[in-house]
Amino acid sequence: MTELVTTRSDFDTVRTALSGQIGLVPTMGNLHQGHLSLLERSTSENDHSIVTIFVNPTQFGEGEDFESYPRTLETDIECIKRVNDKAIVFAPMTPKEIYNQKVVSDISAGEIGNMLEGNLRPGHFDGVLSVVSRLFDVTQPSKAYFGKKDYQQLKIISNFTQSNFPNIEIIGMPIIREESGLAMSSRNNYLSKDEKDGALKLYQALSYVEKTLLEEKDLKKAQAIIQDLMTEDDRFNYLSIRTQHDLTPPMKVKDKLVILGNYQMGNTRLLDNIEVDLI
Ligand code: AMP
């Protein structure tokens, strides 16, 4: 039976009774196949899997969608059950179950947290690390699963975990897309049919830059294409080629690059990326 736990003290009781390898899948809920792919992998690699469902206030900025973020706990639990009917679901009733008294962001993501998404959402990654650190403390996993959909987040969490939780292994999972190519996201629910079609522009742009890099191995040309795409369409909040290693801009075509983009569709900012291995 999938077990739903909503308080810290109940969770501690459940956690104490677990032994063996523990897989953690942290989410904000409104689950789709992207999230479930992480749970599938965790289920196959661990004795127990814990899914957390928590819309973390400290990673939302002023004017962002914290209040309106889709909360669909019942259907989420049904989805989890279908993948793993023994999974433990920790959905804290209030932020205090995770943060104790002070619901604050108190970990800095440093320089890498200020670029790209961090530039659009100041303090966002500090909030992400603040919650991830607490989730690791509470759940004590052997492995934790994150999607490459949030590429910068995955990098920041991997670095942080290496330094602060060296016993936890971070597993980065491929992006799950709709048939159209659109990366699955809970925020796609905000889009109308027309906006969903329009949102494909992001994946198409990333794919075009990828093709140029793969076929021509010409960084300057790929960057010029990006410049044109951004000039033609001001809905790109950014579109950028970076090194996979530390997300800095590459000086020349390196083996492992990633093209990252953020695209504005109405009030919704959509995020996507494609890794390019030029080997
Ligand atoms: P979220 O609920 O948006 O915080 O996402 C929880 C986890 O699911 C994060 O590690 C995301 O990167 C991952 N995730 C979200 N969408 C996808 C997707 N389309 N493919 C793979 N992983 C995803």
Side-chain angles (χ1 to χ4, degrees):
M1 264 298 284
T2 301
E3 188 163 0
L4 172 64
V5 188
T6 60
T7 65
R8 172 70 193 273
S9 62
D10 284 352
F11 182 81
D12 287 347
T13 308
V14 170
R15 177 65 186 88
T16 307
L18 300 179
S19 57
Q21 288 268 330
I22 311 287
L24 172 67
V25 180
T27 81
M28 298 203 300
N30 195 237
L31 303 184
H32 51 65
Q33 192 49 42
H35 300 109
L36 297 177
S37 70
L38 311 189
L39 177 58
E40 282 163 9
R41 174 85 179 261
S42 172
T43 303
S44 73
E45 292 183 345
N46 297 284
D47 299 303
H48 303 281
S49 290
I50 299 168
V51 181
T52 57
I53 298 181
F54 178 58
V55 185
N56 170 38
T58 67
Q59 71 189 66
F60 286 77
E62 228 168 277
E64 291 188 352
D65 56 346
F66 174 69
E67 301 293 343
S68 57
Y69 196 86
R71 289 160 170 89
T72 53
L73 186 57
E74 263 177 46
T75 46
D76 290 347
I77 291 170
E78 289 308 314
C79 292
I80 291 168
K81 256 189 212 165
R82 280 198 287 274
V83 174
N84 178 345
D85 67 0
K86 296 194 177 60
I88 293 142
V89 181
F90 182 29
M93 222 153 41
T94 68
K96 295 217 163 124
E97 305 296 330
I98 296 279
Y99 281 93
N100 296 322
Q101 289 316 307
K102 286 195 181 142
V103 184
V104 289
S105 208
D106 52 8
I107 299 180
S108 168
E111 211 37 51
I112 189 174
N114 296 331
M115 57 175 77
L116 304 165
E117 280 304 292
N119 187 36
L120 292 179
R121 308 182 69 186
H124 169 67
F125 290 114
D126 300 344
V128 168
L129 288 184
S130 299
V131 75
V132 164
S133 170
R134 286 163 171 87
L135 290 173
F136 284 177
D137 278 333
V138 173
T139 61
Q140 299 169 52
S142 323
K143 297 184 181 184
Y145 298 80
F146 294 89
K148 289 187 180 180
K149 158 85 171 28
D150 300 280
Y151 200 88
Q152 188 176 2
Q153 167 176 283
L154 173 61
K155 279 281 148 199
I156 289 172
I157 291 173
S158 296
N159 294 345
F160 172 78
T161 306
Q162 255 174 24
S163 311
N164 296 281
F165 294 88
N167 296 328
I168 301 177
E169 187 182 347
I170 300 297
I171 312 285
M173 295 289 292
I175 300 175
I176 305 294
R177 300 180 180 281
E178 296 187 5
E179 221 165 290
S180 63
L182 182 67
M184 287 190 184
S185 163
S186 305
R187 290 193 168 96
N188 292 351
N189 288 330
Y190 297 147
L191 305 178
S192 66
K193 166 84 181 69
D194 279 355
E195 284 177 328
K196 257 189 157 183
D197 291 344
L200 271 180
K201 183 87 183 275
L202 175 57
Y203 182 57
Q204 286 160 355
L206 293 169
S207 302
Y208 183 41
V209 178
E210 176 198 28
K211 185 165 176 283
T212 306
L213 282 170
L214 286 173
E215 287 178 358
E216 307 194 30
K217 299 191 169 43
D218 183 340
L219 185 60
K220 286 242 155 51
K221 178 156 183 196
Q223 281 164 337
I225 287 171
I226 285 181
Q227 202 51 56
D228 288 347
L229 284 164
M230 291 187 67
T231 310
E232 279 163 23
D233 185 346
D234 64 4
R235 286 175 294 193
F236 286 104
N237 290 315
Y238 62 79
L239 186 60
S240 188
I241 302 169
R242 299 295 171 110
T243 57
Q244 287 179 24
H245 170 62
D246 59 5
L247 300 186
T248 54
M251 304 311 272
K252 52 184 176 14
V253 172
K254 290 200 185 162
D255 289 347
K256 287 183 176 293
L257 300 175
V258 55
I259 316 155
L260 302 122
N262 184 303
Y263 194 69
Q264 192 75 35
M265 257 293 134
N267 293 327
T268 309
R269 283 192 298 235
L270 298 166
L271 192 58
D272 201 353
N273 66 82
I274 296 182
E275 287 182 316
V276 190
D277 295 336
L278 294 169
I279 299 174

